[in-house]
Amino acid sequence: MTRPVARWRHALALALCVLLTGFTSPSGGIGGTGRPRGGIGGTGVTAIGVIQRFGSIFVNGTEYHLLPATRYRIDGRLAARGALRRGDQVFVEGHIRDHHATAASVRVQHAVIGVIEASAHRGRVLTILGQTVDLTAHTVVAPAAADLAVGTEVAVGALARAPGVWQATRVHVLSPPARGGRRPFLIRGRLQERMAGAVRIGGARYPFVGTHRRPVARGQDVVARGWYREGRPVITAMREATTLADARGARILVAGYFHGRRGAWRYEGSTLRARGSLTLPAGRLAFVVAVRSAPDRFMIERVVSPVRIMSFGLPSTTTRPLVGMHPVYAHPTMTMPRPMVTPMVMHPSMTMTAPMTPTMPRP
């Protein structure tokens, strides 16, 4: 009788060790390599940043491979893979396993879509829907020779520097509507005030004649759509914008501007707190690695600043380790091959059905 009992106790002890190892091992739990519920294996991550180049897509220096099952949305609407463009601001839900990243979904979020109302500093500062849009030498303008004159209709991918102030990463000139056609517009920003027949978003006031599918409270980030009526933008629909609270990954990787005080910062409506002596520089682009501590609160584990949004984390033309990446993305000794001299960029009308030969880049 003693031998079966001893075997049973040994098996129970072994099972407990395995269970405890799953909770304490770096390969399990938040930020580990445990299998997420409903996932495809590996660490569940959410990356928020800009499409830097295509390979599949590079965001914040990491290549996320696009699969046949990957889903795409642009401003909340279903889209195709071919609609992705360099410089787009994206929200990527993915997984990483053995340093191999895949994207389950990619959501493009424009800052503003509308008509240029004013232009200053030789076209480097635009006013669109009452918002200030700053262009830099790294902003992708498409077509490259486009004249960003007053009256031009554009779609802008950008990072929020402050309410109503955007740092553009992409400015795409849209085709003019047919004669007599209506011009739609879109604006993303903080809902600052609601009043009878109007709303204030990002410091600008807009007429509002629509209805809310779900109530949107003051202080929430929203996406508002509408039409120009006799040259005046009128909002007809408004919904909550995608924020960090919507992230599904256990680990969050975000590049952008953060606001607040030491120990607590805000990023587009979500609160981030830092461990130890970590600080975030005010008014400068930063890359942050964080984990969720509450539905809309996140604990920062690492900060990299300053960063150049269009080249951060990408390997140079010589083989060397990735710079500034979290260990879950690149081992300190990991190197990347030389990048393509002419990286492929998808044209809006293109769809990917098979591997393509790299061609001259088209922004």
Side-chain angles (χ1 to χ4, degrees), residues 38 61 87 91 155 158 169 176 183 208 218-219 249 262 271 273 287 296 308 330 344:
F91 199 102
T169 54
R183 289 179 181 263
F208 179 71
R218 286 178 53 187
R262 184 180 181 87
T271 300
R273 300 189 181 279
F287 171 72
D296 62 344
R308 292 183 177 179
M344 182 186 68

Side-chain angles (χ1 to χ4, degrees), residues 49-122:
V50 174
I51 295 179
Q52 299 163 305
R53 75 180 188 209
F54 289 87
S56 291
I57 58 171
F58 284 81
V59 179
N60 299 338
T62 295
E63 182 179 19
Y64 291 86
H65 293 269
L66 304 178
L67 308 175
T70 302
R71 302 178 302 278
Y72 308 93
R73 286 185 177 270
I74 296 180
D75 299 322
R77 298 176 177 176
L78 290 174
R81 171 176 174 167
L84 302 180
R85 300 164 182 159
R86 182 170 177 262
D88 278 343
Q89 209 240 354
V90 290
F91 199 102
V92 180
E93 297 289 359
H95 297 84
I96 291 185
R97 188 173 189 176
D98 299 328
H99 305 306
H100 181 84
T102 56
S105 67
V106 181
R107 287 175 278 182
V108 176
Q109 302 185 113
H110 286 103
V112 289
I113 300 176
V115 176
I116 298 175
E117 302 158 358
S119 177
H121 301 286
R122 297 183 179 180

Side-chain angles (χ1 to χ4, degrees), residues 85-211:
R85 300 164 182 159
R86 182 170 177 262
D88 278 343
Q89 209 240 354
V90 290
F91 199 102
V92 180
E93 297 289 359
H95 297 84
I96 291 185
R97 188 173 189 176
D98 299 328
H99 305 306
H100 181 84
T102 56
S105 67
V106 181
R107 287 175 278 182
V108 176
Q109 302 185 113
H110 286 103
V112 289
I113 300 176
V115 176
I116 298 175
E117 302 158 358
S119 177
H121 301 286
R122 297 183 179 180
R124 309 311 293 181
V125 180
L126 308 177
T127 301
I128 306 170
L129 294 169
Q131 309 292 293
T132 299
V133 177
D134 292 333
L135 282 66
T136 70
H138 302 287
T139 301
V140 178
V141 178
D147 180 14
L148 301 180
V150 173
T152 305
E153 188 177 14
V154 295
V156 179
L159 304 173
R161 282 173 39 196
V165 181
W166 299 90
Q167 186 71 59
T169 54
R170 181 181 180 87
V171 178
H172 186 82
V173 176
L174 303 176
S175 300
R179 180 173 297 181
R182 295 193 301 173
R183 289 179 181 263
F185 73 86
L186 174 147
I187 180 171
R188 176 165 59 95
R190 183 69 48 83
L191 177 61
Q192 298 167 314
E193 187 178 1
R194 295 179 61 178
M195 57 206 89
V199 294
R200 188 177 298 278
I201 300 174
R205 185 178 182 275
Y206 307 91
F208 179 71
V209 298
T211 58

